[in-house]
Amino acid sequence: MRTAVVGVGSLGTIIGALITKNGGQIDMIDSYKPTVDALREKGATVTGAMEFNVPVSALTPDEMEGVYDLFILTTKQTALHTVLPQLMPHMDENTLVLTLQNGIPEELVASYVGKERTAGGAVGWGATWLEPGVSRLTSTMKVMENFAFEIGEIDGSDTPRIREAQKVLNLVGHTEVLDNLMGIRWAKVLMNATFSGMSAAMADTFGAVLNDETTLRCIAHIADETIRVANACGVRLAIMQGTDFETLKLDSPADIPPKFPTYHKVWDQHSALKASMLQDLEKGRPTEIDFINGIVCRKGDEHGIDTPYNDKVVELVKLEESTGVLHTMKNKEEFLPLLAADEQ
């Protein structure tokens, strides 16, 4: 299966490196020439939970030739309008475009390549980009061995092509094919809106926001809003990493402390992770906040559901984007009026 990973940042570096290391064929495609040059000269290097270097095939989009069977998208959603037209000449009617991006990108991908060529999935592990060609795996090996990817067709069907994609991704880590793609998507939105959103807003690691009671209470409200919005969209969140996130819905403030063990069970193994949005803020780049917490806010507006905690995360991250000033955990004070009103 002729395969390319498109977007060689924190995740794409590790995906391409592991597929290559474990005997698969993959081209690593990135428009940033220093990344391609580094991969060609030094190979791909993975640090953190595993340590290795492997020679890889790296190309800029204009160097691509022929048709690919599988494109794995790991770019930011903000790049799709540029990336997808570059890939179109290298597709035929059998090409599968598998988007592993944050948020719910399938509709936009399908608008370019067609619904019949679009599938999606969620990444269950985290990584930090260190420099061109070098990425740190910040999740544990247990995560890779059990929850690396969950993928599916848009219509939930079990097809030969999604099984072929599963084989490719199994070279990275354990990959499940599920029949509820939107359930997977919304479960990953919850994972990102809670810990990635708060990690970016607080300018700190997952562990920092996990181990602070104020931020963890905010996370409980962010999760509750996300579940309610997904349900209003007709979606039941899929079980992810062995956890039914629907159980995080709140009926009253008294429900919050009993949820804390679930957050620790799922996220303790990611405690070293720094959200990719925070990494973007540190580099002075735009974030994907509009596609993560922002989609909860927009869909909430469409369905008449208030999302004040997600709104606040979007507000804080956009302020950090515009000013370049990261306020760290002091930003939790911005949530105190909301918590006081909700939990009195």
Side-chain angles (χ1 to χ4, degrees), residues 289-304:
I289 192 66
D290 286 333
F291 302 103
I292 299 175
N293 299 81
I295 196 168
V296 181
C297 303
R298 290 194 302 278
K299 293 294 184 181
D301 288 343
E302 290 175 16
H303 292 277

Side-chain angles (χ1 to χ4, degrees), residues 111-317:
S111 72
Y112 279 92
V113 308
K115 188 175 180 180
E116 70 282 357
R117 286 193 288 207
T118 305
V123 180
W125 47 277
T128 299
W129 186 89
L130 299 180
E131 62 182 78
V134 184
S135 190
R136 176 186 293 123
L137 178 61
T138 50
S139 296
T140 64
M141 290 305 300
K142 179 181 176 182
V143 172
M144 302 299 286
E145 292 163 0
N146 293 281
F147 309 113
F149 303 100
E150 292 170 303
I151 63 174
E153 297 278 7
I154 291 177
D155 64 2
S157 57
D158 191 341
T159 62
R161 69 180 191 174
I162 202 70
R163 290 295 176 179
E164 288 299 312
Q166 179 189 33
K167 290 178 184 176
V168 172
L169 290 177
N170 273 335
L171 297 173
V172 179
H174 181 72
T175 302
E176 290 282 346
V177 173
L178 301 182
D179 60 6
N180 180 15
L181 177 59
M182 287 302 105
I184 299 168
R185 275 298 185 196
W186 275 101
K188 186 60 186 292
V189 168
L190 184 147
M191 291 191 77
N192 284 330
T194 51
F195 282 87
S196 294
M198 287 298 283
S199 171
M202 300 297 118
D204 216 323
T205 64
F206 282 17
V209 297
L210 180 63
N211 292 305
D212 181 279
E213 184 171 348
T214 297
T215 52
L216 192 53
R217 296 185 83 87
C218 294
I219 281 166
H221 286 286
I222 293 167
D224 178 64
E225 292 174 3
T226 304
I227 296 164
R228 293 180 186 280
V229 170
N231 292 167
C233 294
V235 176
R236 188 192 190 284
L237 274 66
I239 292 173
M240 180 173 279
Q241 299 202 10
T243 299
D244 183 356
F245 289 156
E246 290 276 342
T247 63
L248 295 175
K249 188 183 291 185
L250 304 175
D251 292 321
S252 75
D255 288 344
I256 294 176
K259 311 295 185 189
F260 289 170
T262 299
Y263 289 110
H264 282 283
K265 172 191 167 189
V266 175
W267 278 276
D268 275 349
Q269 57 199 334
H270 304 291
S271 61
L273 185 59
K274 182 187 289 186
S276 61
M277 289 193 293
L278 177 53
Q279 296 176 52
D280 288 334
L281 288 170
E282 290 173 340
K283 297 181 180 76
R285 298 174 181 170
T287 72
E288 290 188 290
I289 192 66
D290 286 333
F291 302 103
I292 299 175
N293 299 81
I295 196 168
V296 181
C297 303
R298 290 194 302 278
K299 293 294 184 181
D301 288 343
E302 290 175 16
H303 292 277
I305 297 172
D306 290 335
T307 57
Y309 289 86
N310 280 282
D311 293 343
K312 180 59 72 173
V313 170
V314 172
E315 175 191 326
L316 292 173
V317 173

Side-chain angles (χ1 to χ4, degrees), residues 7-26:
V8 191
S10 58
L11 299 181
T13 300
I14 293 176
I15 289 171
L18 281 170
I19 289 174
T20 302
K21 177 177 180 286
N22 292 324
Q25 176 281 320
I26 189 164

